[in-house]
Structures are given as C-alpha cells and as structure tokens.
Amino acid sequence: MIKRTYDWIDERLNVTPLWRDLADHDVPAHVNPANKMSSFVYCFGGLTFLIIVTQILSGMFLSMYYVPDINNAYYSVKYITDQVLLGQVVRGMHFWGASLVIIMMFLHMLRVFFTGAYKAPRELNWVVGVLIFVVVLAFGFTGYLLPWDQKAYWATSVGANLASAVPFIGPYLKILLAGGSTIGALTLTRFFAIHVFFLPAALLVLLGLHFIMIRKAGIAGPM
Amino acid sequence: MAGEDPREKIPGVPRRRPVHKEISDGREPFFPNFLLKEWIVGSIFLVGFMLWIIFNPVELGPKADPMDSSFIPVPDWYFLFLYQLLKYFGPYLLFPAVLIPMVATLLLMFVPWLDTRRSRRPFRRPFATGAMVLSVFMMIWLTSEAWNQHLYEIGALQPAASSLPFATQHPASTTLMATNLPGYAIFKTTCAVCHGADLQGQIGPELRGIGNVATEAELLPVVTKGFPPMMPPAGGLTSKTELQEVVAWLAQQKQK
Ligand code: HEM
C-alpha cells in the first residue's frame, strides 16, 4: 500500500533522484562513533542542528503568546511563564537552547578547525560556517531584549551605545539598530522582527548552503 | 526484473544497497542505518536537555524601567568576554567594540587562506593550532573575569578577608565615631556607595573597627592606591586634602 502510493507519486513527480541525492550515500568509517568512540566529535554539527530545530519549534509556540510592545511584552512573557500550560517548559527550552546552540556550534567549529576540515575543497563551507556563527550571535543579542525586563533593557542599551563607537557611521548605525535615539517601543518591534523573520530566513539559507556543500564535498577523510 | 538485481534490498524503502568491493570497511548507508543511530544519540542528548530545563526554571526579572539607571547591566554569558574587553580600554571604545571583534571575525573567516599548509593534523600546523588554543583560553579567562566582577558589583561576593591589608574584627558596636570631622561628610558622598553608609560593607568590605587595626599613616597609601578595578584609586577622590580628611576620620573608627 505504502509502496503503491510511493510509486504513484514517483511516476508523476519523479522524486526518487531527489531522495537519492539527499539520503543515499555512505557514511565513512572514521566519523562513525559506532566504530570508534572518539568519533563522537563528528556528531556536534548534527546535534547543533537538532537544537536549532527545537529552537524553531519552541520559538513558534512562544510567538503564539508573545506581544512585541513595551507595555505588554513583559506581561506576556510573565503569562507564558506562570499561566500557560507547559509555558515554563517551552520558555525554558528556548532560553537554555539559545546557550546550548552556541556551545554546540562552538564545539563543532573547534572540531572542524582542529581536524583541518576547512582546507581545500571545503574553504567556502568554512566561510558559510562563520556567517552562521555571526547570525546565531545576532539571534542571541536580539532575543535577549524581548522579555523586556531590567536585564534585557540595560544590556541592550549598552550594546546599542557600542554601535556608536563605529567611526563615521556609528551614530546612524545606532539609530538604525535602536529605531531611535533611545531604547524604546521601536527598538522592541525592530528586534522582534529581526529575531523572528530576518535572522531565521538568513539562517535557513545559510544552513541550506552548508548542507549542500557538505554533500558535494563529502565529509573530510581521516587525517 | 528485481530478482536479477545483485544488490541487497534495504527493508522498508524502494532502494538497494550499493555493492561494495570491500564489504567490511566500516562504511554504512546514511539512511536509514546511520541516521537511526544518530537519532539515538540525539534522543539521549534531548533527554538530558529536558531534565536540565525542568530543574532550572527560567526567571523573569523586574519589568524594564528606563528611569532606573542604577541597574547594573550584564549581557548574556556568551558576550561577557567582549564586555570584559571594554573595561580594559576605558573610554576608547573603538578598539574593543569595533576593531578587535571585526578583525577577529575576519581572521576566523579567512583561516583557510591563512593556514595554507597541506597537512590537516593539528600538530603539523602549530601556528594555527596555537592561535586557536590561545584565543579559546583568552575567551574563557575574560568570561570568568567578567562574571566574577559582576558578582562583586551586585554584591553576591564579598572580598575574601584574608586578601585584604587590614583584617577588621567585625565589632559588635555599630555606632559611627567622630561624625563631627569633615571626613565623615566626604565619606558619605564618595565611599559609602561601596562600603555602606554605616561602614557595614556592600560591594567593598566592612570598615567598622578599622581604626583598631590601622593607623592614619598606614591607611593613607592603601586608600590612595585603591584596588583597581574594584576600588578606584583614592576611592575616586581627586582632592588631596579631602583624601586626608577621609582617612583621618576612618582612623577614628575604633568600634569594639
Ligand atoms: C547552526 C550551526 C551549524 C550547524 C547546524 C552545522 C551542521 C553541520 C553538520 C551536520 C556537518 C557534518 C559534520 C559534522 O557534524 O561534524 C557540518 C560540517 C561542517 N561544518 Fe558545520 N554547522 C554549523 C555551524 C558551523 C560553523 C560555525 C562552522 C565554522 C566556522 C562550520 C563549518 C563546517 C565545515 C567546514 C564542515 C565540513 C567538515 C568536514 O567536511 O569534515 N559549521 N556542519
């Protein structure tokens, strides 16, 4: 039955080649922890991706309740934490997940670095990786403001002030970032939009490139 | 026909295993074999993650108050190393806030063109490996410095009494002495923010009974030098006479 359905779809859309490209390849022995325990370092990229997926899912649920305006943002987060069924857990996932992504991504980068896997022909994938790193840090910076508590507010004002240290364009950069001369209503909506629309779009594109390039070049061989 | 295909069927999917020349070279199809194993690792990882979340509920601080500038700002932990860097450059923000992070990111990005040795082994390219180990070490050190200083600032850590030049004996009496001296007024406006209006200690240590363990002459160089970065030189005082007056008053604090 499943096979018949599959064949029916395949006849019309010819999905088998797509599917082959995606999943039909061998995993070399030296990256498989089942062969050698120390190969677990090759799992860090996959685990980072797993946490990215949980971040996206928990973020989607948080956005059902979160309100990005300065009067209600704080109370909506309070409501999520104290009232919503499992709200504490979903918020916990998103909060701790943010740190975990950074830790796992850093470990993944160190493993790529110390195994020299960025060397030819994988240079471009390393560059994409560094861009991913920057995007993930930007997620952290914009997300930190959203609960609109004291910590959020004052850390962001320090951050926005630092932008004005950039020569020439600094003051404009600060206004671009904060939406005005002080941290306020416009900053919050701006950070919210960046956090939930701009950055996810950038991250998904970059991750797509990352994975395509891994498939093209394959995982680097044993050292 | 399917029966003539020499390749072994993979159960559950309309595909066959490719024939390998050496069967036992440790390779494994990504799907489904490897992915299933990876999923087991992922599940264990997720269980650990969920347990952590349940035992470490997230908190929500007080609501943002743009008027209350006394709040001590602190970034999330992964920005602490940059935040700490700022403190070493005083008012020159250009270096720690712009140039250093930018140059570091660019260096990281161009690593494949900077480290052009053929070998991939870390010990065969000591410069690259050394630079990365050093950077990671610096980041960890800056983060821990930043965190400790933040704990001091919010008063969660009291300086260890043994590292202080004068070990005050935590006297029972709390009444201030010699409050008619001009030094008292100066103390209230400069030193009290850290040492407490009643000398009880906040960010800085308790100073009650300090007159029992230190004389004016002993106190003056210590206060003049301060304890950067925790206490600025002279506690921030710029006038020499004021400094002498404060120290004269402090030397009278002989609570028992
Ligand atoms: C959200 C963040 C990221 C995800 C989800 C991710 C995912 C992955 C995955 C699943 C692999 C396969 C091998 C492995 O798991 O170790 C991989 C390989 C790779 N990653 Fe990432 N990565 C991320 C960030 C980065 C960063 C920050 C860098 C470098 C700055 C980077 C550079 C590379 C390179 C060069 C490879 C190829 C390694 C090889 O062929 O041995 N990635 N990535």
Side-chain angles (χ1 to χ4, degrees):
Chain A
M1 174 63 201
I2 292 173
K3 180 160 169 35
R4 286 236 309 279
T5 315
Y6 179 86
D7 286 345
W8 187 88
I9 294 174
D10 197 27
E11 259 164 43
R12 269 141 263 256
L13 299 176
N14 196 19
V15 287
T16 302
L18 274 180
W19 169 241
R20 287 259 153 103
D21 274 352
L22 206 70
D24 198 8
H25 56 276
D26 277 353
V27 177
H30 72 285
V31 310
N32 193 334
N35 294 327
K36 199 159 126 234
M37 205 47 210
S38 64
S39 315
F40 72 90
V41 293
Y42 287 89
C43 287
F44 292 161
L47 291 177
T48 314
F49 183 62
L50 185 66
I51 298 298
I52 295 265
V53 171
T54 65
Q55 284 303 89
I56 294 177
L57 290 175
S58 54
M60 277 162 32
F61 281 99
L62 287 177
S63 70
M64 287 180 170
Y65 295 94
Y66 180 77
V67 184
D69 95 62
I70 51 172
N71 293 322
N72 298 314
Y74 178 80
Y75 298 107
S76 68
V77 175
K78 207 173 174 52
Y79 182 74
I80 292 171
T81 319
D82 298 339
Q83 310 281 320
V84 177
L85 178 70
L86 290 180
Q88 171 75 260
V89 173
V90 174
R91 183 165 170 240
M93 280 175 78
H94 206 70
F95 176 86
W96 291 112
S99 293
L100 197 58
V101 164
I102 289 180
I103 294 172
M104 294 313 297
M105 185 175 67
F106 197 74
L107 292 176
H108 169 59
M109 188 205 72
L110 289 182
R111 116 64 191 134
V112 172
F113 187 88
F114 288 122
T115 57
Y118 52 78
K119 290 175 181 270
R122 299 183 180 78
E123 299 97 322
L124 286 179
N125 211 7
W126 172 266
V127 173
V128 168
V130 175
L131 293 178
I132 292 179
F133 207 121
V134 173
V135 168
V136 172
L137 287 182
F139 262 112
F141 182 67
T142 50
Y144 203 60
L145 178 68
L146 300 183
W148 202 252
D149 58 0
Q150 283 280 66
K151 236 164 64 174
Y153 186 88
W154 292 103
T156 306
S157 8
V158 173
N161 280 334
L162 292 183
S164 42
V166 179
F168 310 118
I169 57 164
Y172 305 103
L173 200 64
K174 186 190 160 179
I175 290 178
L176 184 73
L177 196 68
S181 52
T182 51
I183 306 295
L186 284 170
T187 322
L188 186 59
T189 46
R190 196 162 284 226
F191 273 39
F192 178 70
I194 295 175
H195 190 82
V196 306
F197 295 114
F198 290 67
L199 292 175
L203 185 68
L204 290 180
V205 169
L206 289 170
L207 279 181
L209 287 173
H210 201 60
F211 294 145
I212 289 171
M213 288 193 217
I214 296 167
R215 277 298 277 128
K216 288 270 177 211
I219 286 288
M223 276 186 285
Chain B
M1 278 303 292
E4 290 151 16
D5 198 325
R7 294 173 306 166
E8 187 195 348
K9 267 193 122 167
I10 300 176
V13 282
R15 296 188 299 119
R16 289 166 184 283
R17 292 215 163 89
V19 196
H20 290 300
K21 289 195 186 104
E22 303 147 87
I23 300 293
S24 58
D25 65 351
R27 286 167 165 270
E28 197 172 27
F30 173 72
F31 186 89
N33 304 37
F34 187 72
L35 201 63
L36 278 176
K37 285 187 195 161
E38 195 152 72
W39 175 238
I40 294 171
V41 177
S43 307
I44 296 170
F45 189 72
L46 278 184
V47 170
F49 179 52
M50 292 312 290
L51 284 176
W52 174 274
I53 288 162
I54 288 162
F55 288 106
N56 295 277
V58 199
E59 282 158 25
L60 186 63
K63 191 179 175 195
D65 177 5
M67 295 302 143
D68 174 15
S69 57
S70 70
F71 190 83
I72 300 169
V74 61
D76 216 348
W77 65 268
Y78 41 86
F79 287 124
L80 278 177
F81 72 103
L82 284 174
Y83 187 59
Q84 183 67 8
L85 209 54
L86 294 175
K87 298 186 193 162
Y88 300 128
F89 285 84
Y92 307 105
L93 287 180
L94 182 61
F95 279 93
V98 185
L99 289 180
I100 295 179
M102 204 146 101
V103 169
T105 311
L106 288 177
L107 281 178
L108 189 69
M109 194 179 268
F110 290 107
V111 153
W113 293 275
L114 296 170
D115 167 28
T116 48
R117 296 210 180 188
R118 288 292 297 281
S119 175
R120 286 175 38 217
R121 294 180 173 278
F123 292 110
R124 295 269 179 80
R125 39 194 184 96
F127 186 75
T129 306
M132 183 54 98
V133 170
L134 198 71
S135 320
V136 172
F137 178 78
M138 282 294 287
M139 283 163 83
I140 294 174
W141 183 77
L142 283 172
T143 305
S144 87
E145 277 296 277
W147 184 242
N148 282 334
Q149 288 181 17
H150 179 67
L151 289 183
Y152 270 115
E153 280 169 1
I154 60 174
L157 272 189
Q158 281 281 329
S162 55
S163 72
L164 291 171
F166 313 114
T168 55
Q169 304 296 323
H170 305 292
S173 157
T174 58
T175 34
L176 298 180
M177 296 173 149
T179 49
N180 55 337
L181 288 184
Y184 176 53
I186 301 165
F187 178 87
K188 276 197 292 189
T189 52
T190 36
C191 323
V193 267
C194 296
H195 291 284
D198 296 315
L199 293 176
Q200 77 277 24
Q202 270 169 14
I203 302 166
E206 175 185 357
L207 294 178
R208 280 175 193 145
I210 191 142
N212 300 325
V213 287
T215 64
E216 200 176 327
E218 286 168 336
L219 277 169
L220 191 60
V222 170
V223 177
T224 311
K225 207 161 142 263
F227 300 85
M230 286 160 324
M231 169 173 160
L237 285 175
T238 44
S239 140
K240 226 179 154 125
T241 40
E242 281 188 344
L243 178 63
Q244 275 159 355
E245 282 169 355
V246 170
V247 170
W249 174 74
L250 216 50
Q252 298 302 315
Q253 304 310 309
K254 299 188 173 163
Q255 292 87 347
K256 291 288 172 197

